[in-house]
Amino acid sequence: WKLGERCIAGIDIDTGKWVRPVCDSLYPEDGKVPESVRLINGKEPQLLDILEIPLADTGNNFGFESENLSVLQGAWRLIGRALPYELNKFCLETQYILHNSIRKVRPSYLQSLPQENRQTLQLIKSSKFSVTRVGDKWKGNITISNGQSLNNLTITDPFLVAQLDTGYKPPDICFITVSLSMPWSPPDDQEEEKPCWKLIAGCIPDLFPEIDQEMTRVGWSVEQGRNFIEIRFGSGKISRRQLTLEELQQFLEHLKRLDVMESSNYDDDF
């Protein structure tokens, strides 16, 4: 969400770099993307959608962002769906999540960096993830593999919020997009410079660990798992790495419904 509209961002699958389409001619103050521009056949873009968007080579960086490209006239097209396993190669292992160990970054700090280092979007893989309701907002608490933690981050992913409102509990291990907000501070804040706040802008569960646990519980071998995938999902699929998020969810739910059988081992390549 961004002030009643949406902020859209994604990773260029050719370069591996983040791109944030901005409607800076319509909204020169923040570049938010209105429904009239972003809807595809009347539907909102979804996480893992592969989109073709007419973009300029440059865009308004609002003084501190490096990823922005201006949206040009023309329809947006959905050309495919990414697989969850593919996200691993885009997860960036750094000492800090977006520049420091706290929840905010000053624009002046970003401006002190070379343009290419003014990172305002990062895909990370959590080792622990929990959520809490604070007033009318959901907040997230993230820990990553190096032990760094960020707590009380506002969740702006509308799809995750809708799930949380129905009682959904995300797993510890998730692919999470952390983004920086536009500069903002509460009215009673005395800071001279409005900071950019770290937000949870997207969350996709990594279901592999849960599938591992369930396969161990019911005693399935790798071969049994591959046979199930081939029969249930077809299309030459024999590995969970080839499954969409929806198919992984179906596989996990099937395993959860099975009775416990004799345990057997399986390898990490399945």
Side-chain angles (χ1 to χ4, degrees):
W1 286 306
K2 178 181 275 191
L3 300 175
E5 292 289 358
R6 296 282 174 89
C7 173
I8 304 290
I11 294 174
D12 185 320
I13 58 177
D14 293 324
T15 66
K17 295 181 178 180
W18 278 97
V19 173
R20 181 188 287 110
V22 291
C23 290
D24 42 5
S25 59
L26 288 174
Y27 296 103
E29 70 282 359
D30 60 16
K32 60 190 175 186
V33 182
E35 271 192 3
S36 60
V37 173
R38 70 178 186 265
L39 294 190
I40 302 173
N41 297 324
K43 296 181 179 179
E44 292 282 0
Q46 306 286 311
L47 294 175
L48 296 174
D49 280 352
I50 301 174
L51 305 179
E52 188 177 83
I53 302 173
L55 296 171
D57 293 331
T58 60
N60 189 339
N61 64 19
F62 304 107
F64 62 92
E65 295 173 329
S66 65
E67 303 91 349
N68 299 355
L69 297 178
S70 299
V71 176
L72 302 176
Q73 287 191 340
W76 292 24
R77 295 179 57 236
L78 174 63
I79 60 174
R81 292 273 290 166
L83 301 177
Y85 179 76
E86 296 171 332
L87 297 179
N88 285 285
K89 63 185 177 185
F90 298 117
C91 289
L92 189 61
E93 285 289 335
T94 56
Q95 181 180 5
Y96 299 119
I97 300 173
L98 291 179
H99 305 288
N100 60 34
S101 62
I102 59 176
R103 293 192 300 141
K104 55 189 177 181
V105 181
R106 294 183 182 277
S108 59
Y109 169 76
L110 294 170
Q111 291 165 351
S112 73
L113 301 174
Q115 177 69 22
E116 64 272 15
N117 293 339
R118 297 178 186 180
Q119 184 184 11
T120 63
L121 291 156
Q122 185 174 347
L123 180 65
I124 59 99
K125 192 171 185 177
S126 61
S127 57
K128 291 184 180 180
F129 180 50
S130 63
V131 299
T132 53
R133 187 72 181 249
V134 180
D136 62 347
K137 294 183 178 180
W138 285 98
K139 304 282 187 173
N141 310 301
I142 302 170
T143 300
I144 58 176
S145 59
N146 66 6
Q148 182 194 171
S149 294
L150 284 175
N151 297 319
N152 205 35
L153 302 188
T154 297
I155 297 173
T156 61
D157 174 358
F159 306 109
L160 177 58
V161 168
Q163 289 179 301
L164 295 174
D165 286 341
T166 64
Y168 170 70
K169 182 181 178 182
D172 276 331
I173 303 177
C174 290
F175 300 100
I176 297 173
T177 297
V178 181
S179 70
L180 291 182
S181 72
M182 297 296 285
W184 178 85
S185 60
D188 58 350
D189 195 283
Q190 300 301 311
E191 288 190 80
E192 292 184 6
E193 183 181 11
K194 295 180 179 180
C196 301
W197 295 86
K198 297 175 185 180
L199 308 170
I200 295 175
C203 177
I204 297 169
D206 181 1
L207 299 181
F208 280 28
E210 283 190 90
I211 289 172
D212 287 346
Q213 292 171 10
E214 288 300 315
M215 287 189 66
T216 297
R217 182 185 68 82
V218 302
W220 269 28
S221 66
V222 174
E223 193 63 29
Q224 286 173 291
R226 287 176 174 159
N227 287 340
F228 174 82
I229 288 173
E230 186 174 18
I231 293 169
R232 172 63 67 90
F233 303 114
S235 302
K237 296 180 180 182
I238 59 170
S239 168
R240 56 188 175 175
R241 295 182 180 184
Q242 298 170 287
L243 300 184
T244 66
L245 179 59
E246 293 75 19
E247 290 169 341
L248 286 168
Q249 290 168 333
Q250 291 175 37
F251 186 21
L252 178 59
E253 289 307 311
H254 175 80
L255 290 168
K256 286 181 175 180
R257 290 193 297 267
L258 295 179
D259 292 331
V260 176
M261 298 165 55
E262 183 179 350
S263 296
S264 59
N265 295 323
Y266 52 91
D267 59 40
D268 291 334
D269 291 331
F270 165 59

